[in-house]
Amino acid sequence: MRILMCRTVRLAAGLMLAALQPASAAEHARLLSDYSHRAWTAAQGAPAQIQAITQTRDGWLWLSTPTGLYRFDGLNFERRDRVGGQALRSTIVLPLYTAPDGALWVGYRFGGASVFKDGKVRHYGAADGFPPGATYCFGRAPDGAMWVTTAGGLAWLHGGRWRRIGADSGFDPGAKAIWHVLFDRDGTQWVSSDRAVYYRRQGDSRYRIASPTDLRLSSLAAAPDGTVWASNGSDANYRMSQQAPAAGRPARPELPGSGMWFDRAGTMWLLSENRVERMLADVFPDPRQRITREQGLSGMNPQTFFEDREGNVWIGTVSGLDLFRPNRVRPLPSHLEIATPALYPGRDGKVRISGDNAGSWLMDAGGRRYDSSPHAFRSAATGRDGRPALGTAEGIWLPEAGGGAMIPSPPAALKDQMAPRALAQDGSGDWWASYVNLGIYRHHGGGWSRVDHPGLPAARVLSMLADRRDRIWIGYPDNRIAIIERGAVSMVGTAQGLRIGNVLTMVERNGHLWIAGELGAALYDGRRFIPLQLADGHALRGISGLVETAGGELWLHGHDGAFRIAAEQLGLFLRTGAGVGYELLDKDDGVSGGIQPTGPFPSMVEAGDGTLWLSGLGGAATIAPGATARDATPPLVEIRAVASNGKAYPVAGPLALPAGANNLQIGFSALGLSMPDKLAFRYRLEGVDSEWQQAGGRREAFYTNLGPGSYRFQVIAANKDGVWNTGGATLPVTIAPTFTQSLWFKVICLLVLAALAVLAWRWRLAQMARLIEARHVERLSERERIARALHDTFLQEAQGTILMMQLAMEQVPATLPARAAMERGIGYIEQALIEGRDEVRGLRSPLRDDETLAQSLERFGQRLAAGLSASFRLEQKGAPYALPVITGDEVFSIGREAICNAFRHARASEIVVELAYGAEQLGLLVRDNGQGIAADTLAQGGRSGHWGLVGMRERAARVGATIEVGNHGAGGAFVRLTLPTMYASA
């Protein structure tokens, strides 16, 4: 207890001393180097007079202002009259508080409070026992009870009702305002009012007045050591005590400021009228850090403080909002102003740091100096005995306690006070050193000799390394490395896969040999160089520092910052050579300045305690081991705005766009309070995009030429450390079709097209029918001409000849043989005449104009039946319809041929013709009950020398009909003709 009290006294003394001393420019800069600062004012959309700040479980930052409640995502301020869909009781809000269960408590200037949770709200007012007047503060007791202070009282929530603290508890309820309530680490409750500060120990039932007692104190703060501080709200902070003040001793403030807070690390923050201060009593050399409006503070009177879940500090002023994000890379807290210092790590966590011609110092990460030396070094190496060796203008300095030893440089280097740019010690203890424009020297046997091996390039040496096999590696520009082993020189480079440009540094650690340079880094596996590639294709530029830690991490320092490759990623690379994931610490993390391309190298080293030290144009900086833990919380993604055809639409629920909408503009965002600029987005519109669209940091998506239908927009985001929220935010979108885009219109169009196709088809059929008819008419005309010619010439002449022969024959006696011959000749001529007449009839249409097909077949069959023994019958089915002329001729000719064949060859007693007029086809069947057709005739399709069956098939093919010839099972033959109605139409 005494130790704790002594430490507390020393802390207070240090703080008081710091408060009385003027702050220097370095102290101003210190806060801004430990933290990245950003300010928002009205110009960036920030509200004024921020009175309270809190963060809800979903990550939103909520701000209370006189003009309303705002929420903030790191980029945009949005005024809200509703929380989770539930309306506020008033837009004039004061205190804010987020409970452990995620509920957001909101207090109002004109009384009452609301609790928002899971889309529901509970309002409290006078009917619930809520004390009257403006609500000032919410507090949560160790037992979980909620407390509130208002202008009219102090109360706590029990069973859904507020219970006010009355005079019977020792508390003065007549105070005009109860300002603040808090609970310290021991559970003691502290309450400030316009009359006094009260306290009540845990377990007690009564309140007591704390000292000092004669002051009007408002805000309270509980330090980690148990001290409770109170501010008068203007310019003084007092340490509160449960002891009565000494008689006659006026109260004095111990620290200036209008407010005080403590962050999670226990560090004190002071807010004053025109500045913000951070108090570090145990940090050398300056315990106070501050920032004013001149250094970028958003405004006067910083009045509220909040630390979010990522450790960012938010401060509200009368003019805006300030963010202090702790840098993961911290500048060395020292007054040394050295650009690009040389670094050499010690074993005990200290690092020797040097600047050109400015000497060197042994320091720790806190900026404390342990010794100094006039010897400034440019290069460094570790000897075989583990001792440091530093390349200075005088030579190789081997520091020891009390001074150390010096190996003087070669005379040529001493003449120009030239320090070696690279050092290495081989297995025999000889030192190797390179000098600009002088070449490589070797220190052996107490003297220097120039190394003029013919195998070494005549180029500037950039780096050296002595590996565990006692080989000397010498790095040159243009992917060239010389390896000296037992006096022999071998060169490796692009032929072995080296593609890093100038070789800036070489490191051997954990059995791995790494080479880094201007264009990247590579691992040497004993035969070839395996390039180190980043998984996302990011280029490694100017890598002049490389550290493989004992824990298996790989760190690279280059132009873009410090790359951290986790142990599991490095293991994957070592096994497969695959690209690795990484974390980049850049200017937003405190890596300031670039890297001097001429050295000194390496620009990154690891101290004995695991701290990484970086060298750059901005000086030295450190990365504490374990301080670069990644943010594993996926960012909350939200769709903020939707517009189509110049009209904005609400984003809640599915989006239904009217007919004619053909474009879509969607704005989205994600929570990234620490580094909103490093958020990355991907989006896609299902129904349009087959793959994710890489948006980078862009927060809008545009789509044009959209058709009607259903779509689904999805956006996902990754935080600054590459952790993706794969669920993201979605928005179903439907676009109603216009009449011309509707299904009915498409059906109508299809029907119209089908109708047009049918009409075109029918028109084509009619055209073909007309063509066929025209050809038939032409054919008939030609037949009639030929028939007339034959009738008028051949038949007439033949008939005349027969008459003349008959007259001549009558003059020949019947007994003469000549008469019999003449009779036979006349018979032959008459038979030929009959056949000629038949042929002439064939040239004309066999159908008479005054007969139907059935009548013509009936007439023909009855004529044959009159002279023969077989009977003939025709049966007609269906309503007859007209046939095209040629089609009718062919059908009749086929029927006539079949009837004739039946009478001639069937030896039948009955011949029947069935003519069926159907809707889909015309059928003609000729059958008999005769002897049938021989099997070989059916197989061959007819008899040799006879053309009846062949002719019927040819005629049927010409009109698109099919014909079938066969025998009945009960005896007799049949001929069946089937003509589709498409060919039977007139």
Side-chain angles (χ1 to χ4, degrees), residues 170-172 174-180 190-199 207-220 230-231 240:
F171 186 81
D172 183 3
K176 295 181 180 178
I178 314 299
W179 301 114
H180 201 174
W190 297 78
V191 182
S192 64
S193 72
D194 65 340
R195 294 189 178 182
V197 174
Y198 296 85
Y199 70 93
Y207 289 85
R208 296 176 174 85
I209 297 177
S211 61
T213 60
D214 54 349
L215 298 172
R216 178 187 171 98
L217 301 174
S218 54
S219 64
L220 302 171
S231 170
M240 302 307 299

Side-chain angles (χ1 to χ4, degrees), residues 333-660:
S334 169
H335 293 297
L336 295 177
E337 296 182 1
I338 304 174
T340 318
L343 305 172
Y344 179 81
R347 295 179 179 178
D348 54 0
K350 303 180 183 66
V351 169
R352 187 166 291 276
I353 182 171
S354 174
D356 285 342
N357 304 318
S360 62
W361 300 266
L362 188 64
M363 306 181 69
D364 65 13
R368 299 176 181 86
R369 303 180 194 177
Y370 293 87
D371 71 31
S372 62
S373 170
H375 302 299
F377 62 92
R378 184 73 177 178
S379 57
T382 300
R384 292 293 173 174
D385 57 1
R387 295 170 57 192
L390 309 176
T392 72
E394 296 81 14
I396 301 175
W397 178 40
L398 308 173
E400 294 178 350
M406 180 72 71
I407 301 175
S409 294
L414 283 174
K415 177 182 177 182
D416 296 327
Q417 290 291 294
M418 188 178 297
R421 294 306 175 101
L423 286 175
Q425 187 179 33
D426 61 22
S428 63
D430 292 350
W431 281 101
W432 297 66
S434 69
Y435 297 88
V436 177
N437 299 325
L438 296 179
I440 302 174
Y441 284 79
R442 179 182 181 186
H443 188 267
H444 176 73
W448 291 96
S449 61
R450 181 181 171 89
V451 179
D452 291 323
H453 197 288
L456 294 176
R460 180 176 177 175
V461 174
L462 301 178
S463 56
M464 276 189 180
L465 170 70
D467 68 11
R468 60 181 179 176
R469 293 173 53 185
D470 295 333
R471 296 178 298 182
I472 300 295
W473 293 66
I474 305 174
Y476 294 93
D478 301 327
N479 297 302
R480 290 180 296 171
I481 296 177
I483 303 175
I484 302 177
E485 184 175 14
R486 297 185 182 91
V489 176
S490 60
M491 295 295 298
V492 293
T494 55
Q496 288 74 34
L498 189 62
R499 299 288 190 278
I500 65 168
N502 299 332
V503 181
L504 302 181
T505 186
M506 297 180 286
V507 176
E508 188 176 30
R509 181 73 183 274
N510 299 336
H512 304 138
L513 183 59
W514 295 95
I515 312 295
E518 181 183 5
L519 303 177
L523 173 71
Y524 186 65
D525 66 359
R527 294 176 301 173
R528 296 189 58 80
F529 295 93
I530 305 172
L532 179 67
Q533 302 287 342
L534 301 182
D536 64 355
H538 189 104
L540 292 171
R541 304 182 308 117
I543 305 301
S544 58
L546 185 149
V547 171
E548 183 178 350
T549 68
E553 292 184 343
L554 185 67
W555 287 82
L556 307 171
H557 186 209
H559 292 325
D560 295 329
F563 295 84
R564 172 183 175 265
I565 299 170
E568 60 271 14
Q569 290 292 316
L570 179 59
L572 177 65
F573 169 76
L574 294 174
R575 292 190 302 272
T576 65
V580 296
Y582 66 95
E583 177 184 6
L584 175 61
L585 308 184
D586 56 14
K587 60 181 178 59
D588 293 328
D589 299 283
V591 181
S592 60
I595 298 174
Q596 178 62 254
T598 58
F601 304 136
S603 63
M604 175 187 283
V605 298
E606 182 185 18
D609 61 353
T611 301
L612 297 174
W613 291 60
L614 287 73
S615 173
L617 294 175
T622 62
I623 303 175
T628 60
R630 302 173 73 229
D631 180 7
T633 304
L636 179 69
V637 186
E638 185 177 87
I639 296 175
R640 304 290 298 273
V642 180
S644 177
N645 289 20
K647 180 181 178 181
Y649 292 88
V651 298
L655 174 64
L657 296 179

Side-chain angles (χ1 to χ4, degrees), residues 287-351:
R288 170 183 293 186
Q289 303 173 12
R290 65 172 55 178
I291 181 174
T292 65
R293 292 195 66 186
E294 287 71 21
Q295 281 79 46
L297 196 65
S298 65
M300 298 289 289
N301 296 322
Q303 51 196 1
T304 187
F305 174 99
F306 181 75
E307 184 179 12
D308 67 20
R309 65 191 182 194
E310 297 179 42
N312 303 309
V313 171
W314 299 86
I315 294 176
T317 70
V318 295
S319 302
L321 179 68
D322 291 82
L323 164 65
F324 295 91
R325 178 173 48 80
N327 288 329
R328 292 188 281 186
V329 179
R330 302 185 63 181
L332 184 66
S334 169
H335 293 297
L336 295 177
E337 296 182 1
I338 304 174
T340 318
L343 305 172
Y344 179 81
R347 295 179 179 178
D348 54 0
K350 303 180 183 66
V351 169

Side-chain angles (χ1 to χ4, degrees), residues 16-36:
M16 290 177 64
L17 179 61
L20 296 176
Q21 294 176 348
S24 66
E27 289 167 344
H28 292 164
R30 175 68 193 285
L31 180 60
L32 298 181
S33 59
D34 285 354
Y35 288 81
S36 292

